[in-house]
Every structure is written in structure tokens, then in C-alpha cells.
Amino acid sequence: MTPPAGQPDLPVVLLSHRGPVSFGRDESGRTASRGAGGLVTALTGLMSDLPDAVWVCAASSEEDAAVAAEHGGKAVEVTLDPEPRLRDQDGAGAADGLPTMRLRLVEVEQQAHDDFYTVIANPLLWFLQHGMYGLALAPVLTKREHAAWDDGYVAVNRLFADAVVEEVQARGGRALVMLHDYHFYLVAGKVRERCPEAVLSFFLHIPWPGPDAWRVLPPAWREAVLNGLLGNDVVAFHTEGFARNFLLTCQELLGLPVDLEAMTVRVGDRVVSARHYPISIDVAAMRELAASPEVAEHAGALREAFCDQGRQLILRVDRTDPSKNIVRGFEAFATLLEDHPELVGRVSFLALLQPSRQDVPEYADYLAEIGAAVARVNAAHAREDYQPVDLRLVEDLAMAVAAYTVCDVLMVNALADGMNLVAKEAVVVNTRESVLALSENTGAHQELGAFAVTLHPFDIQQQADALYEALTMGRDLRRARREAASRVVEENDITKWLTAQLSDLAVDLDAMEERPAGGS
């Protein structure tokens, strides 16, 4: 994709937990692979187009750590197409005309990373921000969690802040710092202390709940989260509701003055903006993949298995994350078959699920619950040559896209979701006028809800009724809704998401430079 124009005239330092390239090793030696997903694609396009940019991320494999150690922890240059490769200082590995990127891999000691990631970031922050704690019994914060906060989350944020500061200072102390996601709430505050001339922006890819949700955390923790984020010039979210919740949290828990019309919060002599930019997908790339021979082969097999002779297919594509509400989705499907027995044998449910965070006990337990739910549905409703639910634990993008193209209903019933890109991917490639069955608690519902059947994620009966509505909807209405949803995604693609942020930051930068010395 073409990198967007209009970015601020500053070197860029970008931080995310996952990076655009990861290294491995096989019998032939060191290997490298590109990160997947629209976000990585968009940001890679931006970073490879800038002459003095660096992407800071965690060393996620032993080989990543080895690359970092070989270069003294400094940034390395990688070529990106057709295969990522290290470009040595003497130019070895370079290929004329190929885009390159500077990549700084930060090695984190294993115990600190486990505390940071598997105790605090996931599940604590993730569960809190997705409204997944019942509070009667969880969470329970003990010495273990307090140690994980201090020795994991705080320590790792400090480590990444140090790396960002070093890169900013190497660029003269004046840079655009783009921070991503809930792993790094504390970084901006630490960077601002040491690099006051940097322009800092933060983008959160998950929901931001209202003030009371944050009272789950000890006061010192939640204040550290908020004060860390307020080190930014801009804190951005997927929806206006999340941005407003952030401002209300600052007002309620820190006593700061906020302006809900201007969407700002005042911190001393500084004003921090809360903005919203709904993330999207690379539509052209998704359609190119959908037209590939591999996807076509999968699609043919899926049509034969689920869609011939008037049969219909409900699809879900998800990680096995408790926030995705997978178990209730199967219970809703079982209710659908109980209420409409004529559908038994005619409607199948294909679930392509990627096991997620199995080192976190709550996620491992949830995967077991998913398996049990599928067994119950199939035991109750299976017939000769018919299995109601086809559960496949697989991470196969070509298979998922093929399923998008042939399904009759796509089910997204998440408890909460910052956006949900599966909904956007499916509507732009489907060939059977699929109906989107979409949770009202997803960011995507704000854009696509008018063209979907809405799901209330805690109401199993309502979800069953909505699935029936989707399956029996007239073809003309199905087509009109899918085409309208597709147009929304086409008009608000991943390039627009990034361009809007960069354009606004360029305006912010101009305004900052026009202020008199000492002005706010």
C-alpha cells in the first residue's frame, strides 16, 4: 500500500509490543518473517517511507534476542520485500530499490516479561478494559500481583522508555513518538520528562471503560496509568465513546479539568487532546488475497462441505479469548436449532479459532469451555452425515478469507471489542451476500451496525433470534446491506485511519511552534 502523505516534518520513533519483522532459525540458518495484519501493514508503509524513523518493539523470539545482542541492543536495518533480511552496516544483504526499515528489538528478561505480560497486561488490564470481571470473586490482588506490577509492568515500561528516549535523543531530542496499546501506558510520561521537545501520541487498540471500572486497580496503579498517558500530547481511541470515557476518568480519578466539547484535559500548563480514529483494513490487499488460488481452493472445499443443495453456513473467525464470547455464541446456535428444528441438517456453524495466550490460566480454561460447549451442541443435534458445529483450531489466513467469501452469516458477538476487523474483512470479500451479525459492544458497530443484525452479547435468546433473522432475510436486502457495509469500509480504510492521525498531528505541531515561549 502507498504510505500516506501529510505526516509531521519530524523523525518518527514508533513503539509497539509486536514488531513488523521477527527472526527465527531453521536448518539453513537465520530466517525472517513479516508481521501480519492491517496495522503492521499500514505502519510499515509509513516507516519504510521515512528517512529517519525507527520502530521499537519487543524481541519476541530467541533469534530476535540474538540479533539484538549482535548489534549491542542498537537498531538494525532490515529490507522488507520480497523477504525481510538484515542489512549489515557494510551494506551486505541490501537489495537495490527495496524498502528498508530501522528496527530496534528490546530484549526483556523472561521473568520480568512474564510478570509484565501474563499477570498485568493479560489478564488484568485486558479483563478490566473489556468488562470481564464479575468483581465478586475476581480480580484478587495479592503480593504476587503487586510484585508483578513493580518488577514487571513498571520495570518493562521503564526499559522501553529508555530505548525510546535513546532513539529520540539520537535525533536531536525532537521527534514524533507514536506509542501503541495497553502494554505501554507508562512510557509517555517517562519520555516527556527526558525529551520535553518530543511530540508524543498514543493509540489504544482496546476499549477504554468508564471511571468506575478503574477503581479495580489500587489508587497508585491507576494514577500511574493516567499520569503516564497524560504525558502524551494526544491520546487516541477507536470511538468517541472511549475517548470521552478517558476524559471522564481523568476528571473523576485525578480531579483534572476536562472540556468535553473540545475533547481535552488540562494537565498543569499543558492541554492533552483525546481523539478517535476508527481503525480499518487494507481493502485492496484483502481482495487480492481473496482472489488467490490458495483461497479459491479452500473456498471450493468449503462450498462443497457446507453450502450446496440450499444449505447455509454461519461463520466465526476469532482468537480463543474470553472477550470474544465464543461459548455464548455456541449456546445461541443451539437455541436456534431448538427453536427451529427445520434448520437441523440445513445450517452449519464453522468456527475457525486461533488458540490465544495459553500461558495465561484464564485463557487455557476458556479454551476448554469452548470444547465442552461444542461437544454439547453436537451431541444434542448431530444427525447422520451432519455435525452442527465444525470447530477448527487453526491459524490459517487463507482458510479464514475463503470462509469469509462463502458464508451466509458472520457472527461477531464479542463482550467488548475496540474495533473488530473480522467484520470489516468479511463484508468486502463475501460472494454470497452474507449478513453481518454484530455485537453492539464492538467499535465496528458504530460504522456497520446500520447494515447488520445487532447482537446483545449477554442475551442468548436474542442472539438466536437474530441469527434466524439473518438466515431468513431476503436476498435483495442481504445484498443491499452487504454492499453498503462494504462501501463504508472502502471509504474508511487503513490508509485513511493513519492519514487522519498524521494530518492532525501536523496541525498540532504547527500550533505548538506558533505559541509564544512559556505559553500553554
Side-chain angles (χ1 to χ4, degrees), residues 375-415:
R376 289 193 297 270
V377 178
N378 285 341
H381 299 287
R383 302 287 186 272
E384 185 177 356
D385 299 326
Y386 171 67
Q387 180 172 276
V389 179
D390 186 333
L391 171 62
R392 304 185 189 185
L393 298 177
V394 60
E395 188 168 359
D396 186 333
L397 180 59
M399 172 70 76
V401 174
Y404 292 158
T405 69
V406 304
C407 70
D408 296 281
V409 179
L410 177 76
M411 186 179 200
V412 178
N413 69 325
L415 301 177

Side-chain angles (χ1 to χ4, degrees), residues 128 150 227 348 379:
L128 183 162
D150 292 333
N227 286 321
S348 300

Side-chain angles (χ1 to χ4, degrees), residues 6-15 46-47 50 52-54 164 167-168 171 173-179 191 195 197-202 232-234 498 501-506 508-509 512:
Q7 58 258 23
D9 187 20
L10 284 175
V12 173
V13 179
L14 187 145
L15 171 64
L46 167 70
M47 299 294 280
L50 299 175
D52 193 13
V54 62
V164 170
E167 296 297 339
V168 172
R171 290 155 178 79
R174 185 84 168 135
L176 170 59
V177 179
M178 302 180 72
L179 309 171
V191 173
C195 302
E197 294 187 358
V199 178
L200 292 111
S201 72
F202 182 97
N232 291 283
D233 297 289
V234 174
L498 184 56
Q501 294 175 70
L502 293 172
S503 298
D504 287 350
L505 286 167
D508 293 339
L509 180 59
M512 291 176 196

Side-chain angles (χ1 to χ4, degrees), residues 470-497:
L471 290 166
T472 57
M473 187 179 294
R475 186 167 183 81
D476 288 345
L477 181 56
R478 295 163 66 97
R479 179 185 300 110
R481 287 188 170 195
R482 191 203 63 77
E483 290 177 350
S486 180
R487 285 194 296 272
V488 169
V489 178
E490 291 166 11
E491 293 167 5
N492 299 288
D493 66 359
I494 189 69
T495 301
K496 183 175 179 179
W497 172 78

Side-chain angles (χ1 to χ4, degrees), residues 14-30:
L14 187 145
L15 171 64
S16 64
H17 185 248
R18 294 182 182 177
V21 176
S22 185
F23 296 96
R25 184 166 288 277
D26 60 20
E27 59 276 3
S28 64
R30 177 169 289 158

